[in-house]
Amino acid sequence: MTVDSSRFEARIAALKSPEFLAALKDIKRGVEREALRINPNGTLAQTPHPKPLGSALTHDSITTDFSESLLEFITPPENSAAKTISQLKDIHKFAIENIDNEQIWPLSMPCFINDEADIPIAYFGESNVGKMKRVYRIGLKNRYGSMMQAIAGVHFNFSFPESFWKLWSELNGKEHSQEQTSADYFGLIRNYRRLCWLIPYLYGASPALCGSFLKGKQHALPFKKVGKGTVYMPYATSLRMSDLGYTSAEQSSLKICYNKLDNYVTLLRDAMNTPSSRFSQFAAGEEGNYQQLSRNIIQIENELYSPIRPKQPTQSMEKPTDALVRRGISYIEVRALDVNPFSAIGISQTQFDFLDVFLVACLLMPSAELDEAQLKEAKENMNKVVLEGRNPDLLLQNGGENISLPDWCASLFKSFEQAAELLDLANDTSRYTQAVNVEAEKVADPALTPSGKLLATLLESDKDNGVLGLELAQAYQAEMKSFEYTDTNAAGFAAQADASFAAQKEIEAADVKDFDTFIRDYFAEAPAKKNA
């Protein structure tokens, strides 16, 4: 037995106390699911954000991401995965019943889009904050292209309760504080970065894409063709997470530190304040011309592309790093999930349960600080898996040593089994062990992965990605309409929409600055400092 496994098992044993089990039962999670609105023929909807869905600026559960056509459904933190799923079903049902004959695209990679100009940028009204959101998106379009911004994903938000962190500090001989909680969250995040290649292997569902996505893009990937216009890579899991997808070469030189909150905040702020030679060509407010918010490496902190983020809810106009400095980490946001094309709501109960196990295990495993070489290794492993994850000859790097994905998983899943047993005990269930068993089968047989299943479907019928996406969209349209409201009914959503429009009007009426002054003041505000 290694020292590491001994320490992990000792922690598992300690967490079986009644106090820890009660705390584990109160783990909270929430979901942000993105999805394009499409026309019945599979093309991108050009209509504005539907009025029955409320104000995209102020609605709590229905908004837009980059595009007017890119819906985002948000659930609040809940300690019941079943409740979160029922909330997602409610939102999907209401949305599909209020977008006329449009449908919801069920894949991460976009539908057929003939021209990037056909992707309408989201509109948030005429308030300063609404205009800022729009200019930020105009900047994203100019920096990276609209096609990349039309990619959809699922974000999984996860947090331990305060009662857990008090017990955890005591177990580890530390004084409980918000600072210590943030440090422990970073321990989890570091292990996630080491192991997050597993997420696209298990849940990646974008091995193929519409050829229209590549228009005007330079790449050296050895694509093959299927159908009339679909390209794919035989062993790919998540092209969404590749350099083709939701990543940024401009940010690749950033060495964001996940060892300490102070360093993370400093480096993120530096990126927001460091001029970019590549982006200097775009106007940033000169003579009222806004093609982006700034000429720096990132316009605002949300522009940082990362498979995980430490988060603290922000107050009005508060920068995310200021919120972290003032109040520490409240939860983590897992950002490596493709939309699950085999679920009408984009994610399944099994995914919820396994992600709980995975993240608990990441906390319980020893987590030394990451140096530059280790972070580089983690990024390279991720890139290998998204492009070749199902290749039986694929070798990853673990501490500088070559290892096959199945061999690495063999040791990891022993830890996952123990974490699952712990969560089963806390919740008086067997769901967690069952979820680990389901994912272990995918390791044994790559054909069972979502990417394997999706690609097999395309190849068996010589079918285009767009044809399959439209078939699924039509089937899910009927399925969503058949859902029964559980937490919020149609009248409740209508009331939320009315309240959101009223809130937007209040924000617009309260503006006392012109937009130039508003933006200048936002960036000139002194960064928050840690209290003495």
Side-chain angles (χ1 to χ4, degrees):
M1 180 186 294
T2 66
V3 173
D4 283 1
S5 65
S6 174
R7 190 172 171 195
F8 179 86
E9 289 173 6
R11 286 174 165 177
I12 286 282
L15 264 62
K16 290 181 179 178
S17 73
E19 295 80 9
F20 262 120
L21 292 175
L24 287 169
K25 195 172 182 179
D26 202 28
I27 284 173
K28 288 186 170 59
R29 75 283 291 164
V31 167
E32 301 162 32
R33 188 260 163 109
E34 300 162 353
L36 290 170
R37 286 185 292 113
I38 61 166
N39 297 312
N41 65 356
T43 58
L44 187 67
Q46 298 296 304
T47 50
H49 186 60
K51 190 172 182 180
L53 304 187
S55 164
L57 179 68
T58 54
H59 201 292
D60 288 333
S61 55
I62 304 174
T63 183
T64 54
D65 194 81
F66 170 79
S67 172
E68 278 291 273
S69 309
L70 185 54
L71 294 168
E72 184 172 354
F73 301 150
I74 304 166
T75 69
E78 300 284 357
N79 62 7
S80 163
K83 181 163 188 179
T84 297
I85 286 174
S86 69
Q87 290 169 336
L88 275 174
K89 286 184 173 181
D90 288 349
I91 298 170
H92 280 76
K93 177 178 176 64
F94 182 76
I96 204 69
E97 290 179 342
N98 287 277
I99 58 175
D100 294 329
N101 64 343
E102 293 173 355
Q103 296 166 6
I104 291 177
W105 186 245
L107 305 177
S108 275
M109 299 307 287
C111 58
F112 173 78
I113 299 174
N114 186 51
D115 192 309
E116 284 200 332
D118 295 335
I119 304 173
I121 296 176
Y123 174 70
F124 298 94
E126 291 302 308
S127 66
N128 283 329
V129 65
K131 291 177 182 176
M132 182 179 178
K133 282 176 170 285
R134 185 172 172 85
V135 170
Y136 168 59
R137 286 157 174 76
I138 291 171
L140 294 177
K141 178 198 76 170
N142 290 328
R143 289 166 173 238
Y144 315 111
S146 294
M147 198 71 84
M148 186 180 111
Q149 305 301 323
I151 296 171
V154 174
H155 299 165
F156 183 80
N157 300 323
F158 176 95
S159 66
F160 291 98
E162 186 74 5
S163 58
F164 176 88
W165 289 122
K166 288 179 180 177
L167 293 165
W168 183 254
S169 293
E170 183 180 335
L171 176 66
N172 291 289
K174 306 283 188 180
E175 183 179 344
H176 174 63
S177 65
Q178 182 55 62
E179 191 170 354
Q180 183 58 45
T181 295
S182 294
D184 289 327
Y185 266 125
F186 265 113
L188 185 163
I189 289 169
R190 288 193 295 275
N191 279 335
Y192 175 92
R193 289 305 304 262
R194 292 179 175 104
L195 303 176
C196 67
W197 50 264
L198 184 59
I199 302 300
Y201 178 81
L202 296 177
Y203 300 131
S206 51
L209 48 86
C210 179
S212 67
F213 183 85
L214 298 176
K215 188 182 293 185
K217 285 181 181 284
Q218 291 185 339
H219 67 87
L221 295 176
F223 280 120
K224 297 189 176 187
K225 291 187 178 180
V226 63
K228 294 180 180 178
T230 296
V231 297
Y232 71 95
M233 291 182 63
Y235 299 117
T237 61
S238 177
L239 293 174
R240 165 183 167 266
M241 294 295 294
S242 74
D243 286 343
L244 270 182
Y246 217 71
T247 58
S248 163
E250 182 71 10
Q251 295 179 21
S252 61
S253 61
L254 297 178
K255 296 179 175 62
I256 301 298
C257 173
Y258 295 90
N259 294 331
K260 292 181 172 62
L261 179 60
D262 291 352
N263 289 349
Y264 174 83
V265 166
T266 297
L267 291 166
L268 193 49
R269 285 172 172 169
D270 285 349
M272 200 170 77
N273 291 297
T274 300
S276 162
S277 57
R278 181 182 168 199
F279 301 144
S280 62
Q281 61 181 300
F282 304 116
E286 295 79 10
E287 297 181 0
N289 184 10
Y290 283 94
Q291 295 301 311
Q292 57 184 347
L293 288 173
S294 82
R295 286 188 162 92
N296 297 331
I297 293 176
I298 58 176
Q299 302 170 86
I300 56 176
E301 293 146 355
N302 289 343
E303 192 173 331
L304 176 71
Y305 300 126
S306 173
I308 191 168
R309 283 181 185 166
K311 300 279 282 192
Q312 170 64 241
T314 56
Q315 297 168 359
S316 178
M317 295 311 298
E318 184 181 35
K319 297 182 181 71
T321 52
D322 287 347
L324 286 171
V325 167
R326 289 173 179 134
R327 300 183 295 284
I329 300 174
S330 173
Y331 67 98
I332 55 171
E333 179 186 47
V334 171
R335 299 167 55 82
L337 292 168
D338 281 3
V339 173
N340 183 343
F342 303 105
S343 165
I345 59 173
I347 190 170
S348 70
Q349 173 83 52
T350 300
Q351 288 178 273
F352 272 83
D353 295 337
F354 182 78
L355 288 167
D356 280 358
V357 170
F358 182 76
L359 295 170
V360 167
C362 282
L363 177 69
L364 300 188
M365 293 173 184
S367 181
E369 292 192 351
L370 279 171
D371 61 27
E372 192 173 322
Q374 292 168 332
L375 191 55
K376 182 173 181 283
E377 181 179 89
K379 289 179 179 178
E380 290 176 351
N381 284 339
M382 186 72 160
N383 195 49
K384 287 178 181 178
V385 172
V386 301
L387 295 178
E388 294 189 89
R390 287 176 288 105
N391 187 339
D393 298 324
L394 176 67
L395 291 176
L396 304 178
Q397 288 269 307
N398 184 10
E401 300 290 329
N402 285 336
I403 186 170
S404 72
L405 187 150
D407 284 349
W408 198 343
C409 284
S411 61
L412 286 178
F413 271 73
K414 291 178 183 177
S415 298
F416 296 154
E417 288 166 5
Q418 294 179 69
E421 290 172 5
L422 179 68
L423 289 170
D424 280 339
L425 187 62
N427 292 278
D428 191 23
T429 185
S430 59
R431 286 197 338 262
Y432 295 98
T433 295
Q434 291 169 8
V436 170
N437 291 339
V438 167
E439 305 309 341
E441 290 175 4
K442 295 180 187 175
V443 176
D445 184 1
L448 297 176
T449 61
S451 60
K453 288 164 64 178
L454 189 144
L455 192 55
T457 301
L458 298 181
L459 296 177
E460 285 165 7
S461 307
D462 193 29
K463 184 179 291 184
D464 275 291
N465 218 37
V467 172
L468 177 61
L470 190 54
E471 290 172 354
L472 291 171
Q474 291 167 345
Y476 292 152
Q477 181 184 41
E479 184 178 341
M480 290 174 204
K481 288 182 177 179
S482 73
F483 291 158
E484 296 289 338
Y485 284 118
T486 303
D487 293 280
T488 306
N489 59 22
F493 280 115
Q496 289 180 17
D498 289 343
S500 71
F501 283 124
Q504 178 180 326
K505 286 182 179 178
E506 285 183 16
I507 292 170
E508 290 172 346
D511 278 343
V512 293
K513 300 177 182 177
D514 63 78
F515 186 62
D516 287 345
T517 303
F518 174 82
I519 293 297
R520 188 165 56 248
D521 288 352
Y522 177 82
F523 286 114
E525 184 182 1
K529 294 182 179 179
K530 190 188 302 182
N531 292 330

